[in-house]
Amino acid sequence: MAIADGPLPSGADEYDVAIVGGGVNGTGVARDLALRGLRVVLFERNDLAFGASGNSSGMIHGGVRYLSSAPHVTEQSCRDSGYIQRIAPHLLFRMPFLMPVKSSRQARVMFELIDAYFRAYDDYQPLKHGKPHCRLDPSALLQLEPGLRGSIVGGITFDEWGIDGARLCVLNALDAMEHGGRVYVHSTVETISRAVGGGAADDGARYVVDARNRLTEERVRVRARVVVNATGAWSPITAAVGALPQERVRVRPGKGIHVVLDRRVTNYGIVSETIDGRQIFTYPWQNVSILGTTDDDYYGDLDDVHATSEEVRYLVQGVARVFPSVRSARAIGTYAGVRPTLYSYGPNEDALSREHDVVDHTADGAPGVYSMIGGKLASYRIFAQELSDVVAAREFESSTPCSTHERPLPGGERVPDAIALAERYAVTPVAARRLVYRHGSIAVRILERAARRPVERDVTCPCEPVLEAEVRHVVREEMACTVEDVSRRTRLGLGACGGMRCAARCGQIIAEERGLAPREGLTMARAFLVKQGRSRIVAMGPEQARQEALALAHMHASLGET
Amino acid sequence: MKTVLVLGGGVAGTAAALTAARGAARVVLLDGGTGASTLATGALDDAPWMQAPRPIDPVSTTARVLLDALAGYALPAAGALIATTAGVLRPARGHDRALLDLAPFAGRHVGVVGCDRPEWDAAAFARSWGDGFTPLEATVLRHVDERMLPAADFAARHDDEARLAWLAERLRDALARAGTRFDALLVPSSLGVEAARAQALSALVGLPCGEAAASPGGPSGLRFERARDRALAAASVTRATGRATRVERHGERWHVALADGAALEATAVVLAVGGLVGGGLEYAPGEAAEASALPPASRPPFRLTIDIPAAKLGAHGRPLETPGSLFGIPPESLAWPFTPDGMMERVGVMVDEDGRAAPTLYAAGETVADAPRTWLRALDSGARAGSAAARDALTSTAERPPSPSARPASRP
């Protein structure tokens, strides 16, 4: 590892722990350590939840697939799902699933096996406040989900929980900040080096982290005793920045895409199989339906992951086999992320371990540097706790126990009644309901803002809907810097109109809040529209083509060609 | 009877009908409902506008005559500069007269009239449009429902003389209170739809007043429809409402079947049914054909929504082909932002210089392949097709040699 050039500027901020990566692992660790009283700083190259965390299936599941191979993982997942419900009750929603069993030679046997398997899973359901599974005959199945087709011998139900992964990251980061932490978004770490005079086992800072803001080109230099690499699929890249051996943090990036439909097309989540026998899901999620997901080795640019029409067709084909009307549903977009799966050469993507691992880089000559490898959204809290336990005990001799499973995330102390808020603050019940979903008790603060300045009650994004007050809130309080950042935090522009009605206005608001030239707001709006356009085209069917042509004409008419 | 039948009541169809009527043919215009023209923002383009300035092309005499017939549109010799509610100042070849042309006010002081409506933020616009724009606090809303009323409906309330006078009074009050001198005022979408009331308001206020270009779906589209209805009535064009389902040749004449079971006969037909936005064309990838496992056949990715065996679709100067995939061509190859100028923006009926797709069958506006999707080009192509169709209708009794089959237009 390199030595920082020259003595440190005295102004360089000093922290206990510098965390690289603003996904669910990085923000989870930042919160955990901050709650233990340590001073943390976090750097995120893009935006919070930019990678896998913000592009997952949006589920806190109980790890049902590990039931036979590693039941302790299932138990731990279910228990943690219960904890996450406790700390962010506003952010979770029940997701009941149906698993139809198609007729085949072994269908009856399969059905009995599945039934028995889920009977075993039922033992863990109380840990996550889930309901036990039900066994359904074909007519009951059709009654619940009339769109199911094909010859079905029966099915079972099982219960999981949905979550907005991007909000989960933002809330963890906000809570870390409330407890003294500092978060730099859009700031890429350019070097991690040894501090001059550091390295001895004193309590001074051992590392210097240099970062550059990719939007403003501002540079930041901090000193920290411990550095945590929590950059998911980017882990080997981050390791190289710190001159650490990449082999030690090797991952096998697995790309997964989802297709978003314009509305909730099913009552329940539906399990189906792809042509190569993989399980995929179609499920109502917030106010849309989602089809997902794929799992393919990824060799592309991690900063620019997007779905292809090939992948979309593969998914749609798999769903249409049991739910054919999906072919005429209107896809309004896609999203894609890359899993940081633990490296292994040989197995199929699906067979790779979803486990996680803490790597201590002492052996690489970098004591106090740790990497978090692997992991899943559903197990983020326990992973963060594992790493924080090690860091707190080994590096800071701290015995403060983890409290992330007990202390509510910001807004999670209490879930206010949305309908009452709608009446009190004269906003539509739908807007109030969505606001409470995203912000919990903080929704009241946002509505208070709007009450002081009534124009902020205007609906900036009518699809979701998002109030102007919420856009301003996420820019001021949640570190949103661009239209895309606002979208990630509020779902602005992710509805049927694809940002046509809200992107330019959102750009104006951001420019105003951040004191930028208005033209920069429009540039951000355009960048968002391009990204959304690209996410939609790959799933474009006849129903969407006309809307797409209109979006294009609108772009030309209002923003002009460049 | 020698009839020119125009399918479509947008800009291109209207231009075709008015031109054919001038050619002394009997003209029937069949209108299937609102299309892309209704989404016009009020800024008229020839080539798609770019942020960088470029030379102004002259507008054809035919187009000028048509614009006069429609009334309510201006074509300043040097082009116009229009403010949009997306927060930009854009060049335009012409404009709906309700819009304020900012070209004469460069370096002058323009007031942006405040109004508590969702699409209007005077302070943000003033900042966004740049130097010379200042918000002006004024009362513009008169009734409680007007805050959330669609822009076009709000504008329509100002067709009433008394209401417009009320607005003028509020603006004069606001100007007096402001104390600063303004050279012009940009007002929210509030200048009527029956006719553009910018001149009337300007006269009452004593300052040039006009709107900014709204998002699609604003009042400008409604103003076009009203102007069209007046112009077609004045030209004695027969109006019919309905959707054509099939257009086929019966000897020397065209037989047009309608969705309600009725049929029309015509000597010449102009297709001005719009493109993908207007509903004249649809995207029909192979994979959507069947819910069963394998689509039955590969087919071209686009088709006309009316069954017209005589019309051939193409893009980029070539006819559409069946793709080498049963699941359709990859949509990435069709459109922005993967492919600038992709097939989605170019696909249409292939025509010759006169807009002829087949003998006595014409296409105009966004129905045409490789034509820029702009207001003035729609007007121009409609006029060309209408005039040629009228000639066909008037000479149809003569024995005519068979025309060569349709070729792609030579212009890109």
Side-chain angles (χ1 to χ4, degrees):
Chain A
M1 185 174 284
I3 305 291
D5 44 351
L8 281 171
S10 52
D13 290 326
E14 195 153 332
Y15 295 90
D16 294 322
V17 184
I19 298 151
V20 190
V24 78
N25 289 339
T27 58
V29 164
R31 174 179 195 240
D32 195 322
L33 292 173
L35 288 179
R36 295 183 203 223
L38 294 171
R39 280 185 41 82
V40 299
V41 60
L42 183 147
F43 296 98
E44 163 54 50
R45 172 178 164 89
N46 294 294
D47 183 24
L48 299 174
F50 175 87
S53 307
N55 292 290
S56 73
S57 297
M59 278 186 241
I60 296 291
H61 60 70
V64 63
R65 62 182 273 183
Y66 312 112
L67 192 59
S68 53
S69 57
H72 68 283
V73 176
T74 306
E75 181 180 342
Q76 195 182 52
S77 302
C78 286
R79 180 164 291 123
D80 231 64
S81 170
Y83 290 149
I84 296 168
Q85 288 168 51
R86 183 195 300 172
I87 63 173
H90 58 299
L91 212 54
L92 283 108
F93 46 91
R94 191 180 288 280
M95 283 175 64
F97 276 87
L98 301 180
M99 183 189 271
V101 181
K102 295 209 79 163
S103 299
S104 70
R105 222 146 34 91
Q106 310 91 351
R108 306 277 2 152
V109 180
M110 276 302 293
F111 192 17
E112 292 308 323
L113 283 173
I114 291 169
D115 188 31
Y117 193 89
F118 279 90
R119 205 175 308 133
Y121 188 45
D122 287 347
D123 293 346
Y124 301 98
Q125 285 285 4
L127 292 172
K128 64 185 179 75
H129 315 291
K131 300 203 160 112
H133 89 291
C134 280
R135 190 185 161 118
L136 300 170
D137 62 28
S139 69
L141 204 56
L142 276 176
Q143 208 173 348
L144 291 175
E145 208 54 83
L148 287 174
R149 288 290 178 275
S151 169
I152 294 166
V153 296
I156 59 107
T157 67
F158 63 96
D159 215 14
E160 297 293 356
W161 291 87
I163 194 167
D164 185 321
R167 295 262 1 128
L168 183 63
C169 292
V170 171
L171 294 186
N172 273 290
L174 289 177
D175 206 36
M177 289 159 74
E178 272 177 33
H179 292 87
R182 179 84 200 254
V183 173
Y184 292 93
V185 289
H186 294 285
S187 296
T188 184
V189 168
E190 297 199 312
T191 54
I192 302 167
S193 45
R194 275 289 171 78
V196 176
D202 56 27
D203 33 329
R206 285 181 293 196
Y207 296 99
V208 175
V209 177
D210 286 294
R212 174 176 56 85
N213 186 307
R214 297 170 80 203
L215 300 179
T216 64
E217 294 300 319
E218 278 168 52
R219 283 167 190 280
V220 181
R221 165 171 279 199
V222 302
R223 309 202 299 166
R225 183 167 167 77
V226 170
V227 177
V228 177
N229 171 11
T231 49
W234 283 261
S235 291
I237 298 174
T238 310
V241 163
L244 295 167
Q246 288 165 283
E247 283 298 329
R248 294 262 286 143
V249 296
R250 193 156 187 188
V251 292
R252 187 166 152 191
K255 179 186 177 191
I257 74 137
H258 291 82
V259 179
V260 184
L261 306 181
D262 67 332
R263 69 195 74 184
R264 296 166 68 107
V265 299
T266 60
N267 301 314
Y268 299 86
I270 295 175
V271 184
S272 58
E273 264 189 13
T274 59
I275 193 165
D276 50 353
R278 300 182 49 254
Q279 266 187 3
I280 54 170
F281 306 102
T282 307
Y283 50 97
W285 191 85
Q286 301 209 35
N287 47 11
V288 294
S289 274
I290 293 180
L291 321 184
T293 178
T294 59
D295 193 347
D296 292 297
D297 283 314
Y298 185 69
Y299 304 93
D301 183 353
L302 294 170
D303 292 324
D304 184 23
V305 184
H306 53 87
T308 67
S309 57
E310 290 273 282
E311 293 163 321
V312 171
R313 284 171 180 172
Y314 164 82
L315 276 184
V316 169
Q317 177 195 45
V319 174
R321 205 153 157 268
V322 293
F323 197 81
S325 60
V326 71
R327 285 202 190 271
S328 52
R330 185 172 147 206
I332 55 168
T334 56
Y335 61 89
V338 175
R339 302 173 184 83
T341 330
L342 296 180
Y343 181 78
S344 167
Y345 198 102
N348 270 338
E349 293 96 331
D350 267 349
L352 290 167
S353 163
R354 302 300 200 250
E355 289 275 16
H356 54 247
D357 216 352
V358 172
V359 177
D360 179 346
H361 290 285
T362 305
D364 308 317
V369 179
Y370 297 86
S371 288
M372 300 174 82
I373 311 298
K376 282 192 73 70
L377 188 74
S379 59
Y380 92 93
R381 199 208 60 82
I382 192 79
F383 191 10
Q385 177 178 349
E386 282 170 24
L387 181 106
S388 301
D389 283 347
V390 170
V391 167
R394 203 180 288 169
E395 307 288 343
F396 299 98
E397 288 164 13
S398 159
S399 54
T400 316
C402 175
S403 57
T404 56
H405 58 304
E406 283 167 344
R407 295 163 74 166
L409 283 163
E413 315 79 31
R414 191 175 58 78
V415 184
D417 176 13
I419 305 304
L421 288 183
E423 276 172 29
R424 179 150 29 112
Y425 292 97
V427 297
T428 65
V430 184
R433 182 73 196 81
R434 302 299 298 150
L435 196 65
V436 167
Y437 170 73
R438 289 190 285 269
H439 298 276
S441 61
I442 293 170
V444 180
R445 220 158 81 200
I446 297 169
L447 289 168
E448 279 296 332
R449 222 197 118 96
R452 284 194 301 275
R453 248 192 111 220
V455 291
E456 291 192 11
R457 274 181 313 179
D458 279 348
V459 174
T460 302
C461 161
C463 301
E464 180 52 29
V466 180
L467 304 179
E468 182 177 323
E470 188 185 1
V471 175
R472 292 186 188 273
H473 173 86
V474 300
V475 175
R476 279 193 196 172
E477 312 283 339
E478 296 188 349
M479 298 165 283
C481 300
T482 66
V483 175
E484 194 185 323
D485 295 356
V486 170
S487 162
R488 206 171 276 119
R489 285 158 181 73
T490 63
R491 299 188 52 74
L492 169 137
L494 299 183
C497 84
M500 233 176 83
R501 293 190 284 181
C502 59
R505 176 70 186 132
C506 181
Q508 276 170 2
I509 296 171
I510 295 170
E512 191 180 306
E513 288 287 339
R514 292 184 53 209
L516 303 172
R519 183 155 289 278
E520 290 188 58
L522 288 175
T523 305
M524 283 176 198
R526 175 181 279 279
F528 177 74
L529 290 172
V530 168
K531 175 172 177 280
Q532 287 308 108
R534 212 164 61 158
S535 107
R536 286 191 308 266
I537 293 286
V538 293
M540 187 175 71
E543 296 73 20
Q544 183 64 19
R546 196 170 173 193
Q547 171 85 36
E548 207 49 56
L550 179 59
L552 196 63
H554 179 65
M555 269 282 284
H556 291 331
S558 60
L559 295 174
E561 292 178 22
T562 45
Chain B
M1 177 102 64
K2 295 157 191 171
T3 304
V4 172
L5 174 63
V6 178
L7 303 181
V11 175
T14 303
L18 292 175
T19 315
R22 264 167 226 276
R26 174 176 182 259
V27 181
V28 177
L29 184 141
L30 180 74
D31 190 357
T34 43
S37 298
T38 310
L39 300 172
T41 62
L44 310 189
D45 294 315
D46 184 9
W49 75 279
M50 313 272 284
Q51 285 172 346
R54 62 172 155 209
I56 300 284
D57 292 325
V59 171
S60 71
T61 320
T62 336
R64 283 186 183 280
V65 170
L66 285 170
L67 283 176
D68 285 345
L70 282 168
Y73 293 95
L75 276 181
L81 187 66
I82 301 295
T84 79
T85 55
V88 294
L89 296 179
R90 58 159 291 185
R93 187 62 195 85
H95 62 95
D96 167 353
R97 280 192 199 278
L99 269 49
L100 183 66
D101 176 10
L102 291 161
F105 299 102
R108 313 274 294 277
H109 196 198
V110 179
V112 185
V113 174
C115 173
D116 182 15
R117 286 177 46 80
E119 81 282 2
W120 194 260
D121 182 338
F125 289 157
R127 262 193 315 277
S128 194
W129 291 328
D131 290 341
F133 293 88
T134 313
L136 174 66
E137 277 308 313
T139 308
V140 174
L141 304 185
R142 190 172 183 181
H143 303 291
V144 281
D145 66 326
E146 288 177 349
R147 198 172 165 269
M148 298 306 288
L149 208 59
D153 293 341
F154 180 60
R157 295 204 168 168
H158 298 80
D159 284 324
D160 175 29
E161 294 288 343
R163 177 61 193 266
L164 197 72
W166 180 88
L167 173 64
E169 193 122 342
R170 302 286 85 73
L171 294 180
R172 281 201 306 270
D173 287 350
L175 287 167
R177 266 200 316 276
T180 32
R181 230 190 76 77
F182 286 99
D183 298 306
L185 293 183
L186 272 165
V187 298
S189 296
S190 57
L191 295 177
V193 297
E194 291 302 331
R197 312 298 302 277
Q199 272 179 319
L201 185 71
S202 304
L204 291 169
V205 176
L207 272 183
C209 296
E211 295 177 356
S215 288
S220 218
L222 216 47
R223 279 183 207 120
F224 164 73
E225 291 187 353
R226 298 287 196 273
R228 169 198 67 191
D229 294 347
R230 278 193 300 271
L232 290 175
S236 305
V237 171
T238 308
R239 302 285 297 272
T241 308
R243 280 181 179 273
T245 53
R246 187 173 165 86
V247 177
E248 62 188 327
R249 197 190 292 279
H250 283 185
E252 279 275 286
R253 298 177 64 74
W254 292 98
H255 179 87
V256 178
L258 306 188
D260 61 5
L264 294 168
E265 296 277 328
T267 318
V269 171
V270 178
L271 286 176
V273 287
L276 280 168
V277 175
L281 292 169
E282 65 184 351
Y283 174 54
E287 62 180 325
E290 296 294 327
S292 62
L294 205 59
S298 172
R299 66 180 186 211
F302 294 95
R303 66 182 170 214
L304 279 163
T305 49
I306 307 172
D307 183 15
I308 312 176
K312 295 282 174 278
L313 292 188
H316 300 105
R318 291 163 47 82
L320 291 192
E321 295 176 332
T322 53
S325 159
L326 282 177
F327 301 94
I329 59 182
E332 284 96 330
S333 68
L334 293 178
W336 170 92
F338 287 98
T339 313
D341 199 26
M343 194 183 279
M344 244 174 81
E345 286 180 84
R346 302 294 295 261
V347 68
V349 173
M350 301 186 78
V351 298
D352 68 9
E353 293 282 352
D354 288 331
R356 187 180 290 112
T360 67
L361 177 69
Y362 297 84
E366 298 193 1
T367 314
V368 175
D370 298 325
R373 276 35 175 161
T374 63
W375 211 98
L376 288 170
R377 284 297 176 89
L379 195 76
D380 237 7
S381 68
R384 245 197 321 270
S387 130
R391 270 199 312 278
D392 285 351
L394 296 173
T395 59
S396 70
T397 45
E399 279 293 310
R400 283 150 26 89
S403 301
S405 59
R407 282 174 290 108
S410 59
R411 123 184 97 74

